[in-house]
Amino acid sequence: MGGDGGTAVKSRSLIVKQRQDKQRVPQSTTLRTVWQTCSLSQAPLRSPVVCCRLGYLFNKEQLLEALTERTLHEQPRFSHIRKLKDFREINAKVNPDWNDSLGASEQSNRAKYVCPVADLEADGRHAFVMLWCCGHFISKRAIDNLKQKACPVCNASFNAEDSVKGDVVVINPEESLRAKRRLALNKGKKSKSDTGSSGRVEKARSSTLQDIHVPNALKSAVAAAVKRGTNLHHNTMTQDPIYASMFNQKGGV
């Protein structure tokens, strides 16, 4: 252009393509970011880290703060977390090559956590689980190869049932699995809530009846009245000639 031998880019499609190439983020980097940041605040994960039944990872301090300030309801995807029992602190092995002072962006070629059994990195390429019974953070490959349902780190037995009642919680699962677990979890919480409400009503009703105080004098008066009524009935019946004749017949009744 301008006689200097340069070439002008006149095609708009080429310009747009160049811009898109610069903005595109590699999928591996996106996956690694999910595994190294708090699901609530998007801040880097720092111990202590906790996990919920749906496989979200959080910085414990920030999650507790959101629960205390009642701001967690602002994000519907975390509505299943209502109390301390709804999440569990993880026992994870930190990658020996990881440096918290550098940050995730400067360590894009490594993951923060590794499997204590298989040494696989938790970077999204390998499935990981957390055992709810003990909190250990382990690769699914290591769990699948177990002959007995016991944690390979601490030997704690676990429930391998594939449900929200089981001890095997899949970390950062596919959205289809997470949606299925969310539905089952909400259904279970609603059932417990209904049962608890009816139980509280019945308990309150029972307590109210037990709390009614009846004076001893009234109890004695009622007992005397019942006794008088019984005696009156007995005397009236025995004085009746027809009633008496039934027992005076030979051989009795």
Side-chain angles (χ1 to χ4, degrees):
M1 185 175 181
D4 58 358
T7 304
V9 180
K10 298 181 180 180
S11 174
R12 185 177 183 278
S13 61
L14 291 176
I15 299 174
V16 173
K17 185 176 184 302
Q18 289 175 353
R19 289 177 180 174
Q20 289 178 343
D21 288 342
K22 290 180 180 179
Q23 295 174 355
R24 187 176 296 130
V25 179
Q27 186 177 5
S28 59
T29 302
T30 304
L31 283 174
R32 191 176 288 108
T33 301
V34 172
W35 285 79
Q36 296 175 171
T37 56
C38 172
S39 298
L40 178 64
S41 65
Q42 306 306 313
L45 288 174
R46 294 184 181 276
S47 297
V49 175
V50 297
C51 175
C52 68
R53 283 286 187 180
L54 297 184
Y56 289 110
L57 295 176
F58 306 92
N59 285 326
K60 185 177 183 178
E61 183 178 349
Q62 293 172 322
L63 182 59
L64 288 175
E65 183 179 348
L67 277 175
T68 303
E69 297 181 354
R70 300 178 182 275
T71 58
L72 203 58
H73 68 279
E74 296 175 0
Q75 300 194 42
R77 59 179 179 155
F78 303 138
S79 62
H80 60 287
I81 304 176
R82 304 171 188 173
K83 50 189 177 181
L84 297 179
K85 291 184 179 180
D86 292 332
F87 55 88
R88 180 80 159 78
E89 189 171 326
I90 68 170
N91 292 321
K93 179 183 178 182
V94 179
N95 190 336
D97 297 327
W98 183 264
N99 188 343
D100 274 332
S101 62
L102 294 179
S105 59
E106 299 177 35
Q107 305 176 85
S108 58
N109 61 336
R110 65 177 70 96
K112 180 171 184 175
Y113 300 115
V114 295
C115 174
V117 179
D119 277 333
L120 297 174
E121 292 190 347
D123 56 5
R125 294 180 300 167
H126 311 286
F128 270 71
V129 302
M130 189 269 284
L131 298 182
W132 197 266
C133 59
C134 60
H136 279 111
F137 187 81
I138 306 170
S139 66
K140 191 174 183 298
R141 181 187 300 180
I143 293 295
D144 291 341
N145 290 333
L146 293 176
K147 295 181 179 179
Q148 296 181 340
K149 301 307 177 184
C151 175
V153 179
C154 66
N155 205 37
S157 58
F158 63 86
N159 178 6
E161 181 182 349
D162 185 21
S163 71
V164 291
K165 296 181 180 180
D167 286 321
V168 182
V169 178
V170 180
I171 307 298
N172 293 322
E174 294 182 357
E175 284 306 316
S176 57
L177 175 59
R178 180 171 277 161
K180 180 181 177 182
R181 292 290 174 87
R182 187 188 300 278
L183 185 63
L185 194 62
N186 290 337
K187 185 177 180 181
K189 285 182 179 292
K190 185 178 185 302
S191 177
K192 287 183 180 179
S193 176
D194 294 343
T195 303
S197 298
S198 60
R200 286 191 295 271
V201 171
E202 187 62 32
K203 185 177 180 181
R205 184 183 302 166
S206 176
S207 299
T208 302
L209 293 175
Q210 291 176 0
D211 291 341
I212 297 176
H213 177 66
V214 180
N216 292 331
L218 180 58
K219 291 181 180 179
S220 301
V222 172
V226 172
K227 186 176 181 179
R228 285 197 302 272
T230 303
N231 291 338
L232 178 62
H233 174 75
H234 176 72
N235 294 335
T236 301
M237 295 301 293
T238 54
Q239 291 173 6
D240 181 47
I242 298 176
Y243 180 82
S245 65
M246 294 174 62
F247 294 93
N248 294 331
Q249 295 178 1
K250 192 178 290 187
V253 178

